[in-house]
Structure formats: C-alpha cells, structure tokens
Amino acid sequence: MAAKAATDEKEAKPLRHGYTTGACAAAATKAALTALITQERQTQSTIHLPAGMDVTFQLESCEWTADEATAGIIKDGGDDPDATHGALILSTVTWRDEPGIELDGGVGVGRVTKPGLPVPIGEAAINPVPRKMIREAVQSVLEQYGVKRGVRVVISVPAGEEIAKKTLNGRLGIVGGISILGTRGIVVPFSTAAYKASIAQAVNVAREAGCEHIVLSTGGKSEQFGMQLYPELPEEAFVEMGDFVGFSLQQCKRKQVKKVTLVGMMGKFSKVAQGVMMVHSKSAPVDFGFLAGLAAEAGAPDELVRQAKEANTAAQVGDMMADYPAFFDKLCESCCRAGLKETGGGMEIETVLITMKGSLLGRVTVNDTGD
C-alpha cells in the first residue's frame, strides 16, 4: 500500500512547465547584445514572456569580441519534452551600418520553401511571436544602454538539422533545420495520462453541475469562440480537449451527455473528419486527397481541386475554399459523423470550424439520439 501511495503521490505532482525555442532565442539574444555592448560575460538573462511572466534563463555559453557576441541557452522542455528538449539555442549579434534590426537563421534553423506557413518563402523558420520577442529583447537592451545602432541577429541550433528529422518540418517544406516556435514562451506539458485525467475530471465536473451540453475545444482560442457562441452555458460546460478528440467524446458518452459541440480549426478537424481521433501533429498527416474530394463535392473548379490536393497545410486549403462555403459544411458534417462512429451514436454532435483569427468557417449538427 505504501508503495502505491508513493506512486500516486508522484503521479499527482504538478507537471513542470518548460520554455519554447522562441523564448530561449530571445533570452540568448538579450544576453549576446548585452555582452557586445558591455564587453562583459553574461551568466543569465531575464525576459518577459507573452504568457505574462518574467523568466530568468541560465546561459550555457557567452563569447564576445569588439564586433560580435554569441550567447547560448539549453532548451528545457519541462516534464513533457519534445524533440528540441536539451538543444543548444545560440544567438549571434553583430552591429549593422544601417539602422534597424535584421533577423536571420543560421546553422540548424530551417528555411521556408513552401506557402501556407506563417513565415514567407525564403525566410528563416522563425515564427512571428519569437521574431517579436527577439526584436523586443534587442530594443530593451539598446534603450537600457542608450545605444542607437543597427543590429543583426542570427539564431542557430547546432543540432537543428538532426533534430528536424524527428519533426514534420521536411513535409511542410522547412529545410535545413528546426523552426523557432512558441506563442506564449512556455511549454505546457501535455502528458497523455495526466491530460486525459484532466479531461475526464472536467467532464465529470460538468455533469455534476447539471450540464447536458458540453463544448469541447482544441485550444484556448477555440474555447473562447465556443463561449461566445453559447454565453448561456456555465463555465463548467467548456472543456479543453487538446488533441484527445476521441477520448473526450467517449467520456461524454460514458457520462450520458446529450449534446457535444466540437470547436476547432482546419488542421486538427481535417484529421477528425477522416476518423483520426488523436490529432497531435505527429499522429497522422493531413490527407489532402480527402480535402480535395470535399472541394470537388463543394463545386470548386478542377484547377482549385488540384491545388488543394497539392497544398502544404490544411489552413492553406481553407484559404483556397473561401468562396465555397459548402466545403466547410461538408468538413463539419464529416467530423460529426466520425464522432458519432467513435461513440457508437446516441448523442447529438455539432462541429464548429473557425479560422486562426477566430472567424466562423462552418457549423453543422448531426443528431443521432432518435429524437
């Protein structure tokens, strides 16, 4: 019993957050620029994360000359490490003759070769939020020391090309290394067992609160949309399912929930529509042939159908289908039917498809309760 109690206690311990490659790159940049200006070794670097907190990173390395400085940070993925956990993230800073901040990727940072990504073709795969964080880090140091000079920043990941083989970068057209990612600066652990437990608990809480209609969302933005859609529902009715669509639906069925609303975006719901119920980016690729088939059914011309089949991301297909609303309704209906198949029916499933910016793309309900 004692051993089991100890195990339970260990499992109940909160999972430790980690930090994104973007946060590490920004902190390393701040340290490198500080070393270049002061000509002194930096041992740590504190930055403000988009998540709303200040975090201090310990430096792995710091080297400088009169014209150039490089600082390095080891990425800590927390208790649910991804492929980049333990990677050395380097930032090299030099002065520019022209004013402004120039940002690029060096060794081990991928370069974008296909459309449909948040970074233009030809540029280093450093996503928009990390770019903003890096620029803000540079600006804060320049202002702190009263320096008015142009700065060039190059982010490198020595092991990046090898790490990228464990990611979807190659299929997405990002060649030569990893992407510098992150929207909040922190990595929230999505341990399968722990996250499933939290979903089951949330559904239980909702039922205990008398909820017969539960809104399952894939993330924070989709949850906010669901709350706007159903303002009359209590807070307990909204459950963030993450990638665990099938498990969440099964929990709702087990608890005899009468109606479930799924809220999400093109990437994950393109998989759900095909019957893929675990929609992590590594779980299964998007079937562009399937999406092209829906496009044809929606009345899209042959050329657009061909482009959909050769698209790079599901979001890109969504952009192509902007003038064919029937496409989104067909995708939503496929999600509903796949969900009913997963649960064996006996409930009502609604699918609400939204854009990254929170606009409605499609909304369909399929009732299998016999009412």
Side-chain angles (χ1 to χ4, degrees), residues 80-131:
D80 200 35
D82 63 8
T84 58
H85 177 68
L88 176 63
I89 312 293
L90 295 173
S91 178
T92 299
V93 177
T94 52
W95 297 118
R96 296 177 75 217
D97 293 334
E98 306 83 19
I101 301 166
E102 181 187 354
L103 176 58
D104 202 359
V107 173
V109 172
R111 204 155 285 275
V112 176
T113 66
K114 291 184 184 179
L117 296 164
V119 175
I121 291 174
E123 291 195 13
I126 303 173
N127 270 20
V129 172
R131 284 173 182 263

mmCIF file of all heavy atoms in Angstrom, residues 80-131:
data_model
loop_
_atom_site.group_PDB
_atom_site.id
_atom_site.type_symbol
_atom_site.label_atom_id
_atom_site.label_comp_id
_atom_site.label_asym_id
_atom_site.label_seq_id
_atom_site.Cartn_x
_atom_site.Cartn_y
_atom_site.Cartn_z
ATOM 1 N N ASP A 80 7.352 17.375 -20.137
ATOM 2 C CA ASP A 80 6.829 16.694 -21.320
ATOM 3 C C ASP A 80 7.673 17.109 -22.517
ATOM 4 O O ASP A 80 7.200 17.781 -23.431
ATOM 5 C CB ASP A 80 5.357 17.054 -21.539
ATOM 6 C CG ASP A 80 4.670 16.026 -22.421
ATOM 7 O OD1 ASP A 80 5.012 14.841 -22.326
ATOM 8 O OD2 ASP A 80 3.799 16.416 -23.203
ATOM 9 N N PRO A 81 8.965 16.731 -22.504
ATOM 10 C CA PRO A 81 9.896 17.256 -23.504
ATOM 11 C C PRO A 81 9.555 16.815 -24.921
ATOM 12 O O PRO A 81 9.112 15.705 -25.156
ATOM 13 C CB PRO A 81 11.241 16.678 -23.063
ATOM 14 C CG PRO A 81 10.907 15.470 -22.266
ATOM 15 C CD PRO A 81 9.617 15.781 -21.589
ATOM 16 N N ASP A 82 9.792 17.742 -25.876
ATOM 17 C CA ASP A 82 9.597 17.404 -27.285
ATOM 18 C C ASP A 82 10.966 17.173 -27.926
ATOM 19 O O ASP A 82 11.967 17.028 -27.229
ATOM 20 C CB ASP A 82 8.814 18.514 -27.991
ATOM 21 C CG ASP A 82 9.556 19.844 -27.989
ATOM 22 O OD1 ASP A 82 10.743 19.869 -27.583
ATOM 23 O OD2 ASP A 82 8.967 20.857 -28.391
ATOM 24 N N ALA A 83 10.994 17.140 -29.238
ATOM 25 C CA ALA A 83 12.234 16.821 -29.953
ATOM 26 C C ALA A 83 13.348 17.828 -29.680
ATOM 27 O O ALA A 83 14.527 17.495 -29.775
ATOM 28 C CB ALA A 83 11.954 16.742 -31.449
ATOM 29 N N THR A 84 12.993 19.069 -29.323
ATOM 30 C CA THR A 84 14.006 20.113 -29.138
ATOM 31 C C THR A 84 14.507 20.208 -27.687
ATOM 32 O O THR A 84 15.361 21.033 -27.392
ATOM 33 C CB THR A 84 13.452 21.495 -29.565
ATOM 34 O OG1 THR A 84 12.284 21.792 -28.789
ATOM 35 C CG2 THR A 84 13.099 21.495 -31.044
ATOM 36 N N HIS A 85 13.977 19.374 -26.793
ATOM 37 C CA HIS A 85 14.421 19.395 -25.397
ATOM 38 C C HIS A 85 15.928 19.114 -25.339
ATOM 39 O O HIS A 85 16.421 18.161 -25.940
ATOM 40 C CB HIS A 85 13.654 18.327 -24.607
ATOM 41 C CG HIS A 85 14.088 18.210 -23.172
ATOM 42 N ND1 HIS A 85 13.858 19.197 -22.251
ATOM 43 C CD2 HIS A 85 14.741 17.219 -22.518
ATOM 44 C CE1 HIS A 85 14.341 18.813 -21.079
ATOM 45 N NE2 HIS A 85 14.879 17.619 -21.220
ATOM 46 N N GLY A 86 16.658 19.957 -24.631
ATOM 47 C CA GLY A 86 18.103 19.772 -24.490
ATOM 48 C C GLY A 86 18.921 20.377 -25.613
ATOM 49 O O GLY A 86 20.156 20.302 -25.593
ATOM 50 N N ALA A 87 18.280 20.982 -26.600
ATOM 51 C CA ALA A 87 19.014 21.584 -27.722
ATOM 52 C C ALA A 87 19.665 22.893 -27.297
ATOM 53 O O ALA A 87 19.115 23.652 -26.493
ATOM 54 C CB ALA A 87 18.069 21.839 -28.889
ATOM 55 N N LEU A 88 20.844 23.154 -27.844
ATOM 56 C CA LEU A 88 21.539 24.418 -27.598
ATOM 57 C C LEU A 88 21.023 25.447 -28.604
ATOM 58 O O LEU A 88 21.098 25.247 -29.820
ATOM 59 C CB LEU A 88 23.046 24.238 -27.761
ATOM 60 C CG LEU A 88 23.909 25.499 -27.635
ATOM 61 C CD1 LEU A 88 23.798 26.092 -26.227
ATOM 62 C CD2 LEU A 88 25.375 25.185 -27.970
ATOM 63 N N ILE A 89 20.467 26.548 -28.079
ATOM 64 C CA ILE A 89 19.958 27.639 -28.924
ATOM 65 C C ILE A 89 20.944 28.796 -28.827
ATOM 66 O O ILE A 89 21.170 29.340 -27.739
ATOM 67 C CB ILE A 89 18.560 28.117 -28.457
ATOM 68 C CG1 ILE A 89 17.617 26.938 -28.217
ATOM 69 C CG2 ILE A 89 17.987 29.121 -29.450
ATOM 70 C CD1 ILE A 89 17.225 26.158 -29.439
ATOM 71 N N LEU A 90 21.541 29.165 -29.949
ATOM 72 C CA LEU A 90 22.558 30.222 -29.972
ATOM 73 C C LEU A 90 22.032 31.478 -30.660
ATOM 74 O O LEU A 90 21.292 31.400 -31.629
ATOM 75 C CB LEU A 90 23.799 29.752 -30.738
ATOM 76 C CG LEU A 90 24.619 28.596 -30.152
ATOM 77 C CD1 LEU A 90 25.694 28.180 -31.143
ATOM 78 C CD2 LEU A 90 25.251 29.002 -28.821
ATOM 79 N N SER A 91 22.457 32.627 -30.140
ATOM 80 C CA SER A 91 22.181 33.896 -30.810
ATOM 81 C C SER A 91 23.494 34.649 -30.982
ATOM 82 O O SER A 91 24.220 34.863 -30.008
ATOM 83 C CB SER A 91 21.201 34.747 -29.997
ATOM 84 O OG SER A 91 20.993 35.985 -30.656
ATOM 85 N N THR A 92 23.774 35.011 -32.228
ATOM 86 C CA THR A 92 24.979 35.785 -32.537
ATOM 87 C C THR A 92 24.553 37.192 -32.965
ATOM 88 O O THR A 92 23.735 37.347 -33.868
ATOM 89 C CB THR A 92 25.790 35.114 -33.649
ATOM 90 O OG1 THR A 92 26.185 33.813 -33.209
ATOM 91 C CG2 THR A 92 27.034 35.936 -33.992
ATOM 92 N N VAL A 93 25.116 38.184 -32.299
ATOM 93 C CA VAL A 93 24.731 39.573 -32.538
ATOM 94 C C VAL A 93 25.933 40.371 -33.041
ATOM 95 O O VAL A 93 27.024 40.290 -32.471
ATOM 96 C CB VAL A 93 24.185 40.214 -31.242
ATOM 97 C CG1 VAL A 93 23.840 41.678 -31.467
ATOM 98 C CG2 VAL A 93 22.948 39.462 -30.763
ATOM 99 N N THR A 94 25.713 41.111 -34.130
ATOM 100 C CA THR A 94 26.754 42.000 -34.657
ATOM 101 C C THR A 94 26.130 43.362 -34.953
ATOM 102 O O THR A 94 24.907 43.494 -35.033
ATOM 103 C CB THR A 94 27.353 41.435 -35.972
ATOM 104 O OG1 THR A 94 26.288 41.139 -36.875
ATOM 105 C CG2 THR A 94 28.149 40.175 -35.710
ATOM 106 N N TRP A 95 26.984 44.368 -35.124
ATOM 107 C CA TRP A 95 26.488 45.704 -35.462
ATOM 108 C C TRP A 95 26.229 45.800 -36.964
ATOM 109 O O TRP A 95 26.895 45.157 -37.757
ATOM 110 C CB TRP A 95 27.493 46.779 -35.054
ATOM 111 C CG TRP A 95 27.761 46.854 -33.581
ATOM 112 C CD1 TRP A 95 28.950 46.646 -32.958
ATOM 113 C CD2 TRP A 95 26.824 47.174 -32.558
ATOM 114 N NE1 TRP A 95 28.822 46.805 -31.601
ATOM 115 C CE2 TRP A 95 27.525 47.125 -31.323
ATOM 116 C CE3 TRP A 95 25.460 47.464 -32.547
ATOM 117 C CZ2 TRP A 95 26.917 47.380 -30.103
ATOM 118 C CZ3 TRP A 95 24.834 47.715 -31.328
ATOM 119 C CH2 TRP A 95 25.559 47.670 -30.126
ATOM 120 N N ARG A 96 25.254 46.626 -37.340
ATOM 121 C CA ARG A 96 24.965 46.922 -38.745
ATOM 122 C C ARG A 96 25.320 48.378 -39.031
ATOM 123 O O ARG A 96 25.212 49.223 -38.148
ATOM 124 C CB ARG A 96 23.478 46.736 -39.060
ATOM 125 C CG ARG A 96 22.943 45.368 -38.929
ATOM 126 C CD ARG A 96 21.442 45.366 -39.216
ATOM 127 N NE ARG A 96 21.141 45.494 -40.645
ATOM 128 C CZ ARG A 96 20.140 46.173 -41.155
ATOM 129 N NH1 ARG A 96 19.330 46.869 -40.378
ATOM 130 N NH2 ARG A 96 19.925 46.206 -42.450
ATOM 131 N N ASP A 97 25.689 48.674 -40.265
ATOM 132 C CA ASP A 97 25.949 50.061 -40.641
ATOM 133 C C ASP A 97 24.638 50.841 -40.743
ATOM 134 O O ASP A 97 24.578 52.030 -40.450
ATOM 135 C CB ASP A 97 26.687 50.117 -41.993
ATOM 136 C CG ASP A 97 28.092 49.537 -41.888
ATOM 137 O OD1 ASP A 97 28.642 49.582 -40.763
ATOM 138 O OD2 ASP A 97 28.596 49.031 -42.899
ATOM 139 N N GLU A 98 23.565 50.125 -41.168
ATOM 140 C CA GLU A 98 22.259 50.775 -41.314
ATOM 141 C C GLU A 98 21.481 50.651 -39.998
ATOM 142 O O GLU A 98 21.706 49.743 -39.206
ATOM 143 C CB GLU A 98 21.441 50.123 -42.436
ATOM 144 C CG GLU A 98 22.149 50.049 -43.781
ATOM 145 C CD GLU A 98 23.083 48.860 -43.884
ATOM 146 O OE1 GLU A 98 22.929 47.913 -43.084
ATOM 147 O OE2 GLU A 98 23.986 48.900 -44.728
ATOM 148 N N PRO A 99 20.542 51.568 -39.756
ATOM 149 C CA PRO A 99 19.717 51.447 -38.553
ATOM 150 C C PRO A 99 18.746 50.261 -38.666
ATOM 151 O O PRO A 99 18.550 49.715 -39.747
ATOM 152 C CB PRO A 99 18.950 52.770 -38.510
ATOM 153 C CG PRO A 99 18.928 53.247 -39.920
ATOM 154 C CD PRO A 99 20.194 52.766 -40.544
ATOM 155 N N GLY A 100 18.142 49.891 -37.558
ATOM 156 C CA GLY A 100 17.138 48.820 -37.563
ATOM 157 C C GLY A 100 17.685 47.495 -37.089
ATOM 158 O O GLY A 100 18.881 47.345 -36.797
ATOM 159 N N ILE A 101 16.792 46.517 -37.014
ATOM 160 C CA ILE A 101 17.138 45.184 -36.519
ATOM 161 C C ILE A 101 16.943 44.178 -37.638
ATOM 162 O O ILE A 101 15.851 44.041 -38.190
ATOM 163 C CB ILE A 101 16.244 44.800 -35.315
ATOM 164 C CG1 ILE A 101 16.400 45.820 -34.179
ATOM 165 C CG2 ILE A 101 16.573 43.388 -34.830
ATOM 166 C CD1 ILE A 101 15.326 45.723 -33.107
ATOM 167 N N GLU A 102 18.002 43.482 -38.007
ATOM 168 C CA GLU A 102 17.938 42.430 -39.028
ATOM 169 C C GLU A 102 17.975 41.077 -38.320
ATOM 170 O O GLU A 102 18.810 40.850 -37.434
ATOM 171 C CB GLU A 102 19.131 42.558 -39.982
ATOM 172 C CG GLU A 102 19.134 41.509 -41.090
ATOM 173 C CD GLU A 102 20.417 41.558 -41.911
ATOM 174 O OE1 GLU A 102 21.247 42.468 -41.701
ATOM 175 O OE2 GLU A 102 20.586 40.658 -42.752
ATOM 176 N N LEU A 103 17.079 40.185 -38.694
ATOM 177 C CA LEU A 103 16.984 38.875 -38.033
ATOM 178 C C LEU A 103 17.063 37.769 -39.078
ATOM 179 O O LEU A 103 16.383 37.817 -40.105
ATOM 180 C CB LEU A 103 15.663 38.780 -37.266
ATOM 181 C CG LEU A 103 15.339 37.438 -36.581
ATOM 182 C CD1 LEU A 103 16.418 37.044 -35.588
ATOM 183 C CD2 LEU A 103 13.985 37.523 -35.894
ATOM 184 N N ASP A 104 17.889 36.752 -38.808
ATOM 185 C CA ASP A 104 18.014 35.633 -39.751
ATOM 186 C C ASP A 104 18.324 34.353 -38.973
ATOM 187 O O ASP A 104 18.616 34.386 -37.777
ATOM 188 C CB ASP A 104 19.129 35.927 -40.767
ATOM 189 C CG ASP A 104 18.984 35.116 -42.048
ATOM 190 O OD1 ASP A 104 18.028 34.316 -42.142
ATOM 191 O OD2 ASP A 104 19.821 35.286 -42.947
ATOM 192 N N GLY A 105 18.252 33.243 -39.683
ATOM 193 C CA GLY A 105 18.580 31.951 -39.097
ATOM 194 C C GLY A 105 19.923 31.478 -39.607
ATOM 195 O O GLY A 105 20.272 31.701 -40.769
ATOM 196 N N GLY A 106 20.662 30.818 -38.745
ATOM 197 C CA GLY A 106 21.947 30.259 -39.123
ATOM 198 C C GLY A 106 21.887 28.742 -39.203
ATOM 199 O O GLY A 106 20.855 28.164 -39.553
ATOM 200 N N VAL A 107 22.972 28.082 -38.849
ATOM 201 C CA VAL A 107 23.052 26.618 -38.892
ATOM 202 C C VAL A 107 21.951 26.001 -38.025
ATOM 203 O O VAL A 107 21.736 26.409 -36.885
ATOM 204 C CB VAL A 107 24.440 26.161 -38.383
ATOM 205 C CG1 VAL A 107 24.486 24.642 -38.245
ATOM 206 C CG2 VAL A 107 25.520 26.628 -39.333
ATOM 207 N N GLY A 108 21.247 25.025 -38.588
ATOM 208 C CA GLY A 108 20.262 24.274 -37.808
ATOM 209 C C GLY A 108 18.900 24.916 -37.659
ATOM 210 O O GLY A 108 18.003 24.344 -37.028
ATOM 211 N N VAL A 109 18.738 26.113 -38.230
ATOM 212 C CA VAL A 109 17.402 26.737 -38.265
ATOM 213 C C VAL A 109 16.896 26.604 -39.697
ATOM 214 O O VAL A 109 17.579 27.000 -40.644
ATOM 215 C CB VAL A 109 17.448 28.219 -37.834
ATOM 216 C CG1 VAL A 109 16.098 28.892 -38.076
ATOM 217 C CG2 VAL A 109 17.819 28.318 -36.366
ATOM 218 N N GLY A 110 15.727 26.013 -39.844
ATOM 219 C CA GLY A 110 15.190 25.729 -41.162
ATOM 220 C C GLY A 110 14.852 26.968 -41.960
ATOM 221 O O GLY A 110 14.753 28.078 -41.418
ATOM 222 N N ARG A 111 14.685 26.759 -43.272
ATOM 223 C CA ARG A 111 14.275 27.844 -44.161
ATOM 224 C C ARG A 111 12.997 27.411 -44.889
ATOM 225 O O ARG A 111 12.850 26.260 -45.270
ATOM 226 C CB ARG A 111 15.390 28.168 -45.159
ATOM 227 C CG ARG A 111 15.314 29.573 -45.712
ATOM 228 C CD ARG A 111 16.685 30.056 -46.173
ATOM 229 N NE ARG A 111 17.560 30.399 -45.062
ATOM 230 C CZ ARG A 111 17.586 31.583 -44.437
ATOM 231 N NH1 ARG A 111 16.770 32.537 -44.818
ATOM 232 N NH2 ARG A 111 18.417 31.814 -43.459
ATOM 233 N N VAL A 112 12.073 28.353 -45.026
ATOM 234 C CA VAL A 112 10.750 28.051 -45.586
ATOM 235 C C VAL A 112 10.821 27.984 -47.110
ATOM 236 O O VAL A 112 11.337 28.898 -47.752
ATOM 237 C CB VAL A 112 9.728 29.123 -45.138
ATOM 238 C CG1 VAL A 112 8.371 28.891 -45.797
ATOM 239 C CG2 VAL A 112 9.584 29.109 -43.620
ATOM 240 N N THR A 113 10.296 26.880 -47.676
ATOM 241 C CA THR A 113 10.320 26.706 -49.134
ATOM 242 C C THR A 113 8.924 26.541 -49.732
ATOM 243 O O THR A 113 8.788 26.463 -50.949
ATOM 244 C CB THR A 113 11.156 25.474 -49.537
ATOM 245 O OG1 THR A 113 10.512 24.287 -49.052
ATOM 246 C CG2 THR A 113 12.567 25.560 -48.975
ATOM 247 N N LYS A 114 7.891 26.433 -48.897
ATOM 248 C CA LYS A 114 6.525 26.239 -49.406
ATOM 249 C C LYS A 114 5.578 27.259 -48.793
ATOM 250 O O LYS A 114 5.806 27.730 -47.666
ATOM 251 C CB LYS A 114 6.025 24.831 -49.058
ATOM 252 C CG LYS A 114 6.712 23.697 -49.792
ATOM 253 C CD LYS A 114 6.045 22.377 -49.430
ATOM 254 C CE LYS A 114 6.738 21.194 -50.060
ATOM 255 N NZ LYS A 114 6.074 19.916 -49.674
ATOM 256 N N PRO A 115 4.485 27.594 -49.508
ATOM 257 C CA PRO A 115 3.490 28.523 -48.951
ATOM 258 C C PRO A 115 2.621 27.847 -47.894
ATOM 259 O O PRO A 115 2.666 26.627 -47.723
ATOM 260 C CB PRO A 115 2.653 28.905 -50.176
ATOM 261 C CG PRO A 115 2.758 27.710 -51.074
ATOM 262 C CD PRO A 115 4.140 27.169 -50.875
ATOM 263 N N GLY A 116 1.829 28.644 -47.190
ATOM 264 C CA GLY A 116 0.891 28.107 -46.204
ATOM 265 C C GLY A 116 1.403 28.156 -44.778
ATOM 266 O O GLY A 116 0.744 27.686 -43.862
ATOM 267 N N LEU A 117 2.589 28.706 -44.581
ATOM 268 C CA LEU A 117 3.179 28.823 -43.246
ATOM 269 C C LEU A 117 3.179 30.301 -42.835
ATOM 270 O O LEU A 117 3.055 31.187 -43.678
ATOM 271 C CB LEU A 117 4.601 28.254 -43.246
ATOM 272 C CG LEU A 117 4.673 26.744 -43.542
ATOM 273 C CD1 LEU A 117 6.089 26.335 -43.901
ATOM 274 C CD2 LEU A 117 4.179 25.941 -42.340
ATOM 275 N N PRO A 118 3.335 30.571 -41.513
ATOM 276 C CA PRO A 118 3.260 31.977 -41.069
ATOM 277 C C PRO A 118 4.495 32.813 -41.409
ATOM 278 O O PRO A 118 4.560 33.976 -41.049
ATOM 279 C CB PRO A 118 3.083 31.854 -39.547
ATOM 280 C CG PRO A 118 3.631 30.526 -39.193
ATOM 281 C CD PRO A 118 3.405 29.636 -40.373
ATOM 282 N N VAL A 119 5.456 32.196 -42.097
ATOM 283 C CA VAL A 119 6.686 32.906 -42.484
ATOM 284 C C VAL A 119 6.809 32.839 -44.008
ATOM 285 O O VAL A 119 6.578 31.787 -44.602
ATOM 286 C CB VAL A 119 7.919 32.239 -41.818
ATOM 287 C CG1 VAL A 119 9.212 32.884 -42.298
ATOM 288 C CG2 VAL A 119 7.818 32.321 -40.295
ATOM 289 N N PRO A 120 7.161 33.945 -44.681
ATOM 290 C CA PRO A 120 7.259 33.950 -46.147
ATOM 291 C C PRO A 120 8.327 32.987 -46.674
ATOM 292 O O PRO A 120 9.318 32.694 -45.987
ATOM 293 C CB PRO A 120 7.639 35.398 -46.475
ATOM 294 C CG PRO A 120 7.231 36.199 -45.280
ATOM 295 C CD PRO A 120 7.393 35.289 -44.109
ATOM 296 N N ILE A 121 8.117 32.522 -47.904
ATOM 297 C CA ILE A 121 9.089 31.643 -48.562
ATOM 298 C C ILE A 121 10.451 32.333 -48.631
ATOM 299 O O ILE A 121 10.546 33.515 -48.936
ATOM 300 C CB ILE A 121 8.600 31.282 -49.984
ATOM 301 C CG1 ILE A 121 7.374 30.356 -49.903
ATOM 302 C CG2 ILE A 121 9.698 30.609 -50.796
ATOM 303 C CD1 ILE A 121 6.747 30.056 -51.240
ATOM 304 N N GLY A 122 11.488 31.562 -48.340
ATOM 305 C CA GLY A 122 12.850 32.074 -48.415
ATOM 306 C C GLY A 122 13.405 32.576 -47.097
ATOM 307 O O GLY A 122 14.612 32.737 -46.933
ATOM 308 N N GLU A 123 12.515 32.825 -46.136
ATOM 309 C CA GLU A 123 12.971 33.349 -44.848
ATOM 310 C C GLU A 123 13.253 32.219 -43.844
ATOM 311 O O GLU A 123 12.769 31.095 -44.004
ATOM 312 C CB GLU A 123 11.933 34.315 -44.263
ATOM 313 C CG GLU A 123 11.821 35.606 -45.047
ATOM 314 C CD GLU A 123 11.081 36.690 -44.280
ATOM 315 O OE1 GLU A 123 10.874 36.535 -43.065
ATOM 316 O OE2 GLU A 123 10.705 37.691 -44.909
ATOM 317 N N ALA A 124 14.024 32.547 -42.830
ATOM 318 C CA ALA A 124 14.303 31.576 -41.768
ATOM 319 C C ALA A 124 13.005 31.229 -41.046
ATOM 320 O O ALA A 124 12.142 32.080 -40.860
ATOM 321 C CB ALA A 124 15.314 32.156 -40.784
ATOM 322 N N ALA A 125 12.890 29.964 -40.652
ATOM 323 C CA ALA A 125 11.670 29.487 -39.993
ATOM 324 C C ALA A 125 11.639 29.925 -38.525
ATOM 325 O O ALA A 125 11.693 29.118 -37.598
ATOM 326 C CB ALA A 125 11.570 27.974 -40.100
ATOM 327 N N ILE A 126 11.567 31.234 -38.359
ATOM 328 C CA ILE A 126 11.416 31.831 -37.027
ATOM 329 C C ILE A 126 10.018 32.443 -37.019
ATOM 330 O O ILE A 126 9.750 33.390 -37.763
ATOM 331 C CB ILE A 126 12.485 32.902 -36.754
ATOM 332 C CG1 ILE A 126 13.891 32.302 -36.911
ATOM 333 C CG2 ILE A 126 12.309 33.501 -35.364
ATOM 334 C CD1 ILE A 126 15.017 33.323 -36.831
ATOM 335 N N ASN A 127 9.126 31.875 -36.234
ATOM 336 C CA ASN A 127 7.722 32.260 -36.276
ATOM 337 C C ASN A 127 7.475 33.689 -35.775
ATOM 338 O O ASN A 127 8.338 34.272 -35.112
ATOM 339 C CB ASN A 127 6.879 31.253 -35.502
ATOM 340 C CG ASN A 127 6.399 30.113 -36.393
ATOM 341 O OD1 ASN A 127 6.954 29.859 -37.455
ATOM 342 N ND2 ASN A 127 5.363 29.419 -35.966
ATOM 343 N N PRO A 128 6.293 34.257 -36.082
ATOM 344 C CA PRO A 128 6.033 35.673 -35.774
ATOM 345 C C PRO A 128 6.224 36.077 -34.317
ATOM 346 O O PRO A 128 6.826 37.118 -34.043
ATOM 347 C CB PRO A 128 4.579 35.854 -36.215
ATOM 348 C CG PRO A 128 4.402 34.877 -37.322
ATOM 349 C CD PRO A 128 5.215 33.677 -36.924
ATOM 350 N N VAL A 129 5.723 35.284 -33.371
ATOM 351 C CA VAL A 129 5.853 35.683 -31.957
ATOM 352 C C VAL A 129 7.314 35.662 -31.505
ATOM 353 O O VAL A 129 7.789 36.629 -30.885
ATOM 354 C CB VAL A 129 4.957 34.825 -31.037
ATOM 355 C CG1 VAL A 129 5.252 35.134 -29.568
ATOM 356 C CG2 VAL A 129 3.480 35.089 -31.339
ATOM 357 N N PRO A 130 8.088 34.593 -31.796
ATOM 358 C CA PRO A 130 9.523 34.653 -31.467
ATOM 359 C C PRO A 130 10.248 35.828 -32.120
ATOM 360 O O PRO A 130 11.117 36.447 -31.497
ATOM 361 C CB PRO A 130 10.049 33.318 -31.997
ATOM 362 C CG PRO A 130 8.888 32.397 -31.889
ATOM 363 C CD PRO A 130 7.695 33.241 -32.237
ATOM 364 N N ARG A 131 9.895 36.155 -33.367
ATOM 365 C CA ARG A 131 10.508 37.322 -34.025
ATOM 366 C C ARG A 131 10.252 38.594 -33.202
ATOM 367 O O ARG A 131 11.154 39.406 -32.980
ATOM 368 C CB ARG A 131 9.935 37.511 -35.435
ATOM 369 C CG ARG A 131 10.464 36.534 -36.455
ATOM 370 C CD ARG A 131 9.736 36.644 -37.792
ATOM 371 N NE ARG A 131 10.241 35.649 -38.726
ATOM 372 C CZ ARG A 131 11.164 35.872 -39.660
ATOM 373 N NH1 ARG A 131 11.666 37.090 -39.803
ATOM 374 N NH2 ARG A 131 11.584 34.913 -40.451
#
